[in-house]
Structures are given as C-alpha cells and as structure tokens.
Amino acid sequence: MSAYALAGKRIYVAGHRGMVGSALVRRLAREDCEVLTADRSVDLREQAEVREWFTDNRPDAVILAAAKVGGILANSEQPGEFLYDNLAIAANVIEAARRVRTGKLLFLGSSCIYPKFAEQPITEAALLTGALEPTNEAYAIAKIAGLKLAAAYREQYGCDFISAMPTNLYGPGDNYDPQSSHVIPGMIRRFHEAKRAGEGSVSIWGSGTPLREFMHVDDLADACIFLLANYSQAQHVNVGSGEEITIRDLAALVAQTVGFEGWIECDTSKPDGTPRKLMDSSRLRAMGWKPSVSLEEGLKGAYAAFLADEA
C-alpha cells in the first residue's frame, strides 16, 4: 500500500452536515490538516456550482459522504429522486476533482449495492452478481455508478480515487424521523416515547429473527481516514464491525439502554426483509484496521445524542 500523507493537506468533506460527514470532520480534527466544507448554497446536484467551488478551493483530497438517504419507505416512494440526486452528486464531485487534479478521493457507498441474495458474509466480489433488493434499488444503482466512476477514472486518468462500502451505521447526528429513519434511530425514538408515555409494550416489525450488522459512525470515520492514508486500489473495500445481532436482541438492547421495561412484541404480519446481512470486512482487517466501539457503548452515546437533540 502506498501511503498518502494527510499532514498539511486541505481535505474537503462533502456532506459535512450529515451523520457520516460530521463524524469525518470530528475525526479529521485529530489530523494535522485543514478541513474544507462547502456552504449550504452549493448544490452538489448542480454541475456548474460544483465546478466553480472546486476551481475556487482546489482541495488536496476529497471524502465524498454527501448523499440523499432514507429508509425503506422513502426509497420506495421516491426512486426517481434517489437515483437522480445520488447519480448527480457522484458524477459532479468526482469529475470536478479530476479537473482540478485532486490528489486523492474516497467515495462512500453503502452495503445495499450488493445483490439481495448474496452469499453471507458478503465479499467485495459479490458486486453485480445478482439482482438488487427492489426497495432500495435506485439508491444502490447510483452508488454502484459512483464507485465504478471512481475506478474508471483511476484506470483512464490515473486518478488516485478509491471507494469504501460501509455496513449499517448509527450514532450522533442520526435521523430519528419516524417516516424515514433506519432501524436503530427508529427504535431509540419508539422506545423513548413508549417509556415517556408509560406504555406497556412496543411492537417491532417481523419475526425478530433476521440478523443485522451495525457499526458506530465514529468507527467508520476512523476507517475512512485509515483508507485515505493507506489504500490505493480500484477495488472497493467493505467496512463493517463483523458482529451480528438479531433484530429481537437489538430491540432488547435498545430498550435496556433507553430504560423501557415493558414487553417487546414481534408483528409477524410485517415483512422481515433479508434473513441475514453481514459484510466480509477481512480485507480491511488484514490491512491493520479494526473497529473499537462496542454496540452497547455506542447505543449509550447514540441515546445521549438523541436526548440532546430533543432538548
């Protein structure tokens, strides 16, 4: 692996207001570099605005964490927006970085790029070997296009552009909206509200048996900085915790964290989704990086951040 020195560099975090972007800004504060962010007035879907910003600021490195994101409901109701917005963001930022000769770029995808029925644990080689999960196909296709564009620019122009695929994330800055949140923030809100209302039970979707992998966003940010400094290949890299938990056990852990003491009921009339979804992150482990935030510890911090947001 060829090392890329971060010291003295000007590093642009695209999407710095999001959960991942804000974690990256926090993590980069520990490096001897200058963090660049774009004003909210710069719309990353607009090519001219992105090119103008890059021409004016000329970052040495870019971490592309900006995306239109949402849960199953948002993805299934707005496939056109999820596909267009994420395609435009990826294409505009990657091309602008190439034009101003940005020294290094890290594109962040998502574990949903893999086939719905990929063999478990999911290796990087599983990409494009089968049909995608229909409910988030639009988002997944945009993310696949982004990582392929980064790889194509490496091949054609010699750009040092790399890609990483994180597993399910949670932590400070998460989205707790009941309509568009992912599983952990959704549970935190529901158990918190049930505790506050004195309710005797909370119902979760499905049988509770599906296995899922979760990673704290600060671990992802640390892995991104590690890859930016140490990795330089066309192949994207999985970033996961390597640990699985059933949805039922996760619900119990969230309830315990929040202090909800009622029953947890499984609504089997609702879908389970994929039975198991685990990333194979052995390539990243072999490079010498591993996560450090346990799920128990991470959930405590996530709940504290939720309470601070509520206040």
Side-chain angles (χ1 to χ4, degrees):
M1 292 190 296
S2 58
Y4 177 81
L6 302 181
K9 296 293 198 307
R10 301 168 76 249
I11 301 175
Y12 169 43
V13 177
H16 70 283
R17 285 187 184 81
M19 176 173 70
V20 173
S22 53
L24 285 163
V25 171
R26 285 195 300 274
R27 176 61 187 81
L28 284 166
R30 287 163 32 203
E31 301 294 324
D32 180 21
C33 66
E34 181 187 347
V35 178
L36 301 180
T37 57
D39 192 76
R40 194 181 278 278
S41 63
V42 179
D43 187 342
L44 297 182
R45 297 168 300 182
E46 297 295 332
Q47 186 185 67
E49 293 182 24
V50 176
R51 286 190 181 174
E52 183 181 3
W53 187 90
F54 268 81
T55 302
D56 291 346
N57 292 276
R58 298 190 173 269
D60 298 307
V62 172
I63 306 177
L64 180 38
K68 179 180 175 66
V69 295
I72 291 174
L73 188 69
N75 272 276
S76 51
E77 286 181 349
Q78 305 157 37
E81 279 178 60
F82 275 86
L83 184 51
Y84 177 82
D85 288 0
N86 288 302
L87 275 175
I89 291 166
N92 289 340
V93 173
I94 292 170
E95 168 64 3
R98 178 192 75 81
R99 283 173 166 250
V100 302
R101 294 186 168 83
T102 295
K104 188 110 188 208
L105 179 142
L106 168 59
F107 174 78
L108 277 174
S110 157
S111 59
C112 73
I113 65 167
Y114 291 116
K116 180 174 182 174
F117 299 113
E119 273 188 46
Q120 304 288 326
I122 309 169
T123 66
E124 288 89 351
L127 183 67
L128 298 175
T129 58
L132 298 162
E133 161 59 50
T135 54
N136 56 22
E137 183 184 76
Y139 181 74
I141 285 172
K143 287 295 184 182
I144 292 168
L147 78 92
K148 288 295 186 185
L149 188 63
Y153 277 26
R154 169 179 287 274
E155 184 183 345
Q156 184 176 345
Y157 304 114
C159 299
D160 191 0
F161 292 179
I162 60 173
S163 297
M165 299 302 120
T167 189
N168 299 309
L169 302 168
Y170 72 98
D174 215 333
N175 166 29
Y176 298 96
D177 180 81
Q179 297 304 310
S180 62
S181 64
H182 289 109
V183 60
I184 285 182
M187 282 185 179
I188 287 174
R189 174 177 278 278
R190 287 176 58 218
F191 282 113
H192 172 76
E193 289 177 348
K195 179 182 85 165
R196 198 169 56 185
E199 290 169 12
S201 69
V202 165
S203 174
I204 60 171
W205 275 36
S207 65
T209 58
L211 286 158
R212 291 293 181 269
E213 175 188 29
F214 298 96
M215 175 178 249
H216 195 277
V217 70
D218 287 343
D219 272 336
L220 171 66
D222 192 61
C224 287
I225 304 315
F226 176 86
L227 288 167
L228 197 68
N230 298 294
Y231 186 71
S232 181
Q233 290 177 33
Q235 176 71 48
H236 62 279
V237 180
N238 285 346
V239 184
S241 64
E243 294 181 359
E244 297 175 283
I245 187 169
T246 66
I247 294 296
R248 180 75 178 71
D249 287 346
L250 175 67
L253 194 56
V254 173
Q256 181 188 325
T257 304
V258 169
F260 172 78
E261 294 174 348
W263 289 98
I264 299 169
E265 295 170 351
C266 296
D267 181 357
T268 53
S269 71
K270 296 286 196 295
D272 267 342
T274 312
R276 185 184 187 207
K277 194 174 172 191
L278 175 68
M279 306 260 276
D280 181 337
S281 302
S282 55
R283 285 182 69 234
L284 179 57
R285 296 286 181 111
M287 292 176 215
W289 184 89
K290 63 179 193 291
S292 63
V293 184
S294 71
L295 188 57
E296 291 84 352
E297 182 193 342
L299 285 174
K300 284 176 190 162
Y303 184 49
F306 168 79
L307 292 175
D309 285 352
E310 285 278 279

